[in-house]
Amino acid sequence: MEGSSAVGAFGTRLRALREARSLTQEELSERSGLSVKAIGALERGERLRPHPHTVRALADALLLGDVERSALVASVPRRAGPSGPSGRSGPLEHEGWSAAAGGAFAGSGLTPLFGRDEDLTRLTDLLTARGARFITLTGPGGVGKTRLATEAAMRVRDAFPGGVRLLDLAAVREPDEVLPQVAAALGVIEEPTGTVHLAERVAGHLADRRVLLVLDNLEQVFACGPRVAELLGLAPGLTVLATSRAPLRVRAEQEVPVAPLALPALGDGPDAMTAVAASPAVAMFLDRASAVGAQVRDGAAGAATLAAIARRLDGLPLAIELAAAAARVLPPDALLSRLEAGTIDVGVGGPRDLPERQRSMATVLAGSVGLLESGQRDLFLRAAVFSGGFSLDWLAAVEPIVEPLTTAGSDDVLPRVAALVEQALVLPAPSPDGVPRFRLLEPVRQHAITQAHAAGLALPAADAHAAYARQVAVDAHRRLWSAGIGPVLDRVEAERGNLRSGLLRLLELGRVSEAADLAGGLWPYFAMRGRVREGHEWLERVHGTGTTTAVAWSAVGRMGLMLVVGEVDGLRMLGDLAIRLSERAGDALLVVEASLLSGLGALFAGDLAAGERLLALAEARAEDLGVEEAHPVDPLPWARLHVQVGRGQGLLLAGDAEGATRLLAEAVTAARALGNEFGLATSLNTLATARQVAGDDAEAAALLGESLAVSFPLRLGWTLGYAVPELAGVAARSGRPVAAAHLFGAAATLGDTTSVDPHYPPSRAGAESGLAVARTQLGSDEFTAAWDAGRTATQEEVARFAADVVADITSPGDTDLSLRGRG
């Protein structure tokens, strides 16, 4: 039985609040929607425990402030616990409503929780086994911090015999109001006379009971951290689990970041849907969509759509929930179209039991942005221009007040980036080279784009972004001809989204010459990494337009990619034009590249005289190259190296294998001195071809092994496209047909993914002769089985297998090669 004093406390407080506002019971009835009879019963204590929605309706009708509302809520008698009636000695129970704003936790536990097993394990361990007393879950709005906190609280409630109390502070705006809210939620009703006094009263009220207090939505009052820490120091049995977009930054705090849900990998085939649906992001979407009666198409097409939706929502649980609600009226394909058009809220309201502030992503994100200072906000809106993430130099480039690519510029933006990271609007991102990198979740970015346009920042940021993209591409072009190209390739790979956006913006503005600089400058990257189709698409956008230099850049880039895929005739047709335009533009490096590529095309076509003439032109013009202030990389050693490799290829085509070997061995030495990995792998491949033509397959295998050891870590698709099939041919001629078939299968997959066609005639002949040997020595079934195994192997697996084949050929008997085959 509940104590009458508790019942009287609510009724007495309700009556006092009503009379203080000079309201009759009839007037309060009209405002609140409750009957006069119900209000009278509450004031007389005839109703023992009003429902949470009744308390909220009365508080709203009375226009109560946070403190008065909290006191009214706290005066509702709690249910009796194991220790007896509600009171100081009894447990504090979660009754489905919060002391501050009401209703924030009402839906907790009613829907499945996806992808949080590891987070829950960590939280329960911190709260129980490790005894952490102040834990803050941090992360962007809508990531599911509240849901995770309440689930964790439910799981550990037995470890807190004093009870678990959930308190939503979203409506609180002053840090000084947090402790009074906590006091009211814990049943300390007396008005405080001071913060210290109140903390002591709360601690005395709790005594030594073990209580878990969940404080939700602290980001707008994060300065309350020291007061919460002080309370914890006074109340040894109290543990606080908080949620906030930013950490509270006190020493007692243990921050636990909450990440978006894991995204699906792309799948195809009959099991595609099963694989995609296994990811937490898609599993949650399917669960919520099913709840509103939506139909989802099965099979590979349906799986691809669901995977794309999850990626567009970036695994953000609230965005998934809202999008799934729209699946009632929008099939997944239509929903995806709206998301791809940049619509973060698809026009259908979220579940009605969500708090008002969470019924649209725009509302959630507006609340986050509203907590930023002016300079932080402007930087955040400018960051919307980036595609796929950004580093500090890119961010500095879109700032109007700093100079990009300077230490000062990076330092200027760093404090504001740190603030954005702390508020979980910007997230740290994986970096290919150790340089700090950041990104915006896609729903966050779409919101920022809208706000940037409204603030007049979008177009200036896009223009500055495009100019910097052109600078990055031109700089990468020179750096790819120097030593240590791995970080350059990786950085360009990471910035592909930004570089593409920059290209499109330059074209939109009619700045074709700069667009040609960008697309043409990146042709070595596209060629080396085997991204030929993408490179062609970029170059097609600038082909044949703009200034003389622009047309020359486009032509040279197309020639480079044609050499990769074996379009020798097209390359030769462009060659004369590219050389003339480069000469007319007065760009010595363009002349060198155009004449070198033309010379290689002539050699591969069998026109040895033309090839030598063009290589001589490239060599002569290379002497005109100098180190420019804007590009401190000297391209002369690179040019000389590739002219020498070309001449070695010409000697081999002329039948002089020994002469080619001498010249190519010198090229390998020069490549080692230069430190350019692509040049070294190319020299090794060509020298290996000369050795296998001379009949020295063991030496060819050793050279190919070194080339592969250089090429695989850097993902040099161009040189891998030559080395893997040539090694397969060597393996077959060395009596290892099963290993050869395996490598030929791997080479076929490489060719499909990179478009590389190893069409240098002696190299192709060596591979084809080995393929014939392997087919002859193996039966059809055995050859097909080994081929298929290589076809499906990952690059890491191919790298390990190729290394074993090389070791087996160069040191027979020392290697346990499972696919050695007969002989």
Side-chain angles (χ1 to χ4, degrees):
M1 179 177 177
E2 291 145 348
S4 60
S5 62
V7 176
F10 180 82
T12 300
R13 187 174 292 276
L14 175 61
R15 181 174 179 176
L17 290 169
R18 175 177 61 78
E19 291 179 348
R21 286 156 178 77
S22 301
L23 296 175
T24 65
Q25 288 185 347
E26 288 77 9
E27 289 171 328
L28 182 57
S29 168
E30 184 177 348
R31 288 187 178 192
S32 65
L34 303 175
S35 68
V36 175
K37 181 178 178 181
I39 292 173
L42 288 169
E43 290 187 354
R44 293 189 299 272
E46 295 172 3
R47 286 190 58 184
L48 303 181
R49 185 182 295 107
H51 293 296
H53 63 80
T54 299
V55 180
R56 289 197 298 274
L58 289 168
D60 291 342
L62 292 166
L63 303 176
L64 300 186
D66 289 340
V67 174
E68 287 182 317
R69 182 185 291 261
S70 298
L72 180 65
V73 168
S75 67
V76 177
R78 290 184 284 275
R79 301 182 186 275
S83 303
S86 175
R88 279 187 57 178
S89 61
L92 303 173
E93 295 184 354
H94 166 42
E95 300 192 22
W97 42 266
S98 94
F105 305 103
S108 298
L110 299 180
T111 56
L113 187 62
F114 294 92
R116 298 301 188 197
D117 290 346
E118 291 184 9
D119 294 320
L120 284 169
T121 298
R122 182 183 181 191
L123 276 177
T124 54
D125 180 60
L126 286 170
L127 290 166
T128 56
R130 296 175 58 184
R133 296 188 54 220
F134 191 177
I135 302 169
T136 305
L137 303 182
T138 60
V143 80
K145 301 182 294 293
T146 299
R147 180 71 175 87
L148 179 58
T150 54
E151 183 69 24
M154 289 173 61
R155 294 194 180 195
V156 301
R157 61 186 181 273
D158 291 342
F160 294 90
V164 175
R165 189 64 180 170
L166 310 179
L167 180 59
D168 181 10
L169 296 166
V172 179
R173 288 294 177 266
E174 295 298 328
D176 289 342
E177 286 299 316
V178 172
L179 197 54
Q181 295 280 352
V182 169
L186 294 175
V188 182
I189 299 176
E190 290 82 0
E191 295 293 333
T193 58
T195 302
V196 175
H197 178 65
L198 180 58
E200 290 175 348
R201 291 190 62 82
V202 172
H205 175 78
L206 293 173
D208 58 354
R209 288 178 298 152
R210 290 206 65 200
V211 173
L212 175 62
L213 179 62
V214 180
L215 301 180
D216 195 36
N217 297 298
L218 286 179
E219 54 269 357
Q220 76 286 353
V221 287
F222 69 90
C224 73
R227 298 172 180 83
V228 177
E230 178 190 15
L231 176 60
L232 286 167
L234 295 169
L238 179 64
T239 295
V240 170
L241 175 60
T243 74
S244 175
R245 290 166 198 172
L248 275 63
R249 291 193 293 181
V250 293
R251 287 175 297 172
E253 179 183 41
Q254 167 100 38
E255 182 183 359
V256 177
V258 181
L261 298 179
L263 298 174
L266 286 175
D268 53 22
D271 297 327
M273 181 60 77
T274 301
V276 167
S279 73
V282 173
M284 179 180 178
F285 179 85
L286 289 172
D287 177 80
R288 302 296 191 266
S290 175
V292 299
Q295 299 294 317
V296 177
R297 182 168 42 141
D298 204 350
T305 299
L306 290 175
I309 289 172
R311 287 194 300 275
R312 276 284 165 182
L313 300 173
D314 232 331
L316 207 57
L318 179 60
I320 293 171
E321 179 120 34
L322 297 173
R328 182 195 306 272
V329 293
L330 289 174
D333 288 336
L335 176 60
L336 177 60
S337 295
R338 293 179 71 87
L339 293 173
E340 288 177 336
T343 306
I344 61 169
D345 290 313
V346 291
V348 178
R352 292 176 181 171
D353 57 347
L354 284 174
E356 188 67 35
R357 69 181 186 279
Q358 289 188 322
R359 293 187 190 174
S360 78
M361 281 304 303
T363 303
V364 170
L365 296 171
S368 296
V369 176
L371 299 175
L372 301 176
E373 298 174 359
S374 176
Q376 297 166 357
R377 176 182 173 274
D378 284 356
L379 190 68
F380 167 67
L381 297 184
R382 288 178 181 276
V385 75
F386 296 111
S387 301
F390 56 90
S391 50
L392 291 178
D393 58 312
W394 280 83
L395 191 59
V398 301
E399 273 280 85
I401 59 172
V402 296
E403 183 70 21
L405 282 180
T406 67
T407 302
S410 295
D411 287 343
D412 282 343
V413 297
L414 183 57
R416 282 175 290 158
V417 172
L420 296 176
V421 170
E422 189 169 77
Q423 289 291 337
L425 286 166
V426 170
L427 302 181
S431 171
D433 53 6
V435 175
R437 191 168 180 80
F438 309 91
R439 75 183 186 102
L440 277 65
L441 294 173
E442 190 58 27
V444 176
R445 179 173 173 265
Q446 293 299 336
H447 177 76
I449 288 173
T450 301
Q451 298 303 308
H453 278 287
L457 297 175
L459 294 182
D463 292 349
H465 174 268
Y468 191 62
R470 181 251 175 208
Q471 180 181 339
V472 167
V474 171
D475 183 62
H477 183 270
R478 282 277 182 126
R479 292 183 185 277
L480 286 174
W481 301 145
S482 64
I485 65 172
V488 183
L489 290 169
D490 289 342
R491 175 54 67 92
V492 172
E493 186 105 11
E495 303 294 0
R496 265 172 45 232
N498 285 318
L499 291 164
R500 181 182 180 86
S501 296
L503 174 70
L504 296 178
R505 179 61 178 165
L506 290 171
L507 291 171
E508 181 182 352
L509 294 172
R511 290 154 60 178
V512 180
S513 295
E514 293 169 80
D517 288 347
L518 193 161
L522 291 178
W523 83 259
Y525 157 77
F526 287 121
M528 292 179 189
R529 279 280 162 92
R531 293 188 171 275
V532 178
R533 297 184 188 92
E534 185 177 1
H536 267 305
E537 190 265 324
W538 288 36
L539 287 163
E540 279 294 329
R541 293 180 178 273
V542 298
H543 179 56
T545 58
T547 63
T548 299
T549 303
V551 178
W553 262 119
S554 173
V556 169
R558 287 162 59 86
M559 289 168 63
L561 298 183
M562 288 175 176
L563 185 64
V564 177
V565 299
E567 293 181 11
V568 174
D569 291 341
L571 187 161
R572 298 194 72 191
M573 288 178 62
L574 270 178
D576 289 343
L577 173 64
I579 293 171
R580 288 199 307 273
L581 291 173
S582 300
E583 293 277 16
R584 190 183 307 165
D587 191 318
L589 182 56
L590 267 180
V591 177
V592 171
E593 290 186 31
S595 52
L596 176 60
L597 291 168
S598 293
L600 294 176
L603 292 177
F604 286 21
D607 190 345
L608 303 187
E612 173 53 34
R613 175 177 55 79
L614 290 164
L615 290 177
L617 173 61
E619 183 178 41
R621 292 309 307 269
E623 299 302 326
D624 299 332
L625 294 174
V627 180
E628 302 174 20
E629 183 178 349
H631 303 289
V633 173
D634 183 2
L636 178 57
W638 164 85
R640 286 174 171 168
L641 168 65
H642 285 276
V643 167
Q644 190 168 10
V645 172
R647 284 186 166 139
Q649 290 174 322
L651 287 175
L652 193 55
L653 287 166
D656 185 358
E658 293 306 321
T661 296
R662 287 191 298 273
L663 195 57
L664 292 168
E666 293 174 4
V668 168
T669 300
R672 294 192 201 282
L674 176 59
N676 182 274
E677 295 91 339
F678 174 75
L680 177 59
T682 299
S683 303
L684 289 166
N685 281 352
T686 313
L687 180 56
T689 302
R691 296 320 300 148
Q692 63 97 0
V693 168
D696 189 350
D697 277 335
E699 177 64 15
L703 293 164
L704 292 169
E706 184 180 355
S707 172
L708 292 171
V710 170
S711 300
F712 270 119
L714 298 184
R715 305 193 303 283
L716 296 177
W718 194 354
T719 51
L720 287 172
Y722 275 86
V724 174
E726 191 153 354
L727 179 60
V730 170
R733 290 190 300 274
S734 300
R736 295 155 179 86
V738 178
H742 185 94
L743 288 171
F744 278 125
T749 297
L750 270 171
D752 289 344
T753 56
T754 65
S755 299
V756 175
D757 180 5
H759 55 282
Y760 176 53
S763 178
R764 179 184 290 276
E768 289 178 347
S769 70
L771 181 62
V773 169
R775 287 185 181 278
T776 299
Q777 292 188 6
L778 299 175
S780 176
D781 291 345
E782 193 174 2
F783 179 88
T784 300
W787 171 284
D788 289 343
R791 200 81 160 88
T792 57
T794 65
Q795 283 211 13
E796 292 77 12
E797 291 168 341
V798 175
R800 289 193 297 270
F801 185 79
D804 287 343
V805 172
V806 170
D808 189 50
I809 294 173
T810 56
S811 303
D814 291 345
T815 305
D816 180 14
L817 187 63
S818 59
L819 289 177
R820 179 184 297 178
R822 293 190 296 273

